Amino acid sequence: MVDPAAGPRRSVLLLGYAGWDEGQLEDELGENVWLTADGDADLIFDPDYDSKWARALAGLGVDPAQLSGQSGRA
């Protein structure tokens, strides 16, 4: 059994704002607008924030030079 008083082993505090209308995020995911990946605790909790975006893309096999501002399906 996990002791809730012990708290998490690792944590990250992030501040920001994102807002979507009802169903907007689901629609965008359905339109293939977002790159998604399974969670990777080593990446999430790594304090090297300067290279995190590039490493996340590399984990998906994505070359950032090939990204486009347009979305859709190939």
Side-chain angles (χ1 to χ4, degrees):
M1 177 180 250
V2 175
D3 178 7
R9 198 169 46 88
R10 299 187 287 179
S11 63
V12 173
L13 174 65
L14 303 170
L15 300 175
Y17 172 80
W20 285 274
D21 288 331
E22 183 177 342
Q24 180 181 346
L25 181 58
E26 291 82 0
D27 290 343
E28 291 176 5
L29 288 167
E31 293 170 6
N32 212 23
V33 179
W34 292 89
L35 287 174
T36 60
D38 293 333
D40 178 346
D42 290 334
L43 183 64
I44 292 168
F45 294 108
D46 187 330
D48 180 8
Y49 295 103
D50 291 336
S51 69
K52 197 173 280 206
W53 180 74
R55 290 182 292 134
L57 289 177
L60 291 170
V62 174
D63 177 357
Q66 300 297 316
L67 293 176
S68 168
Q70 297 183 5
S71 64
R73 290 177 171 64

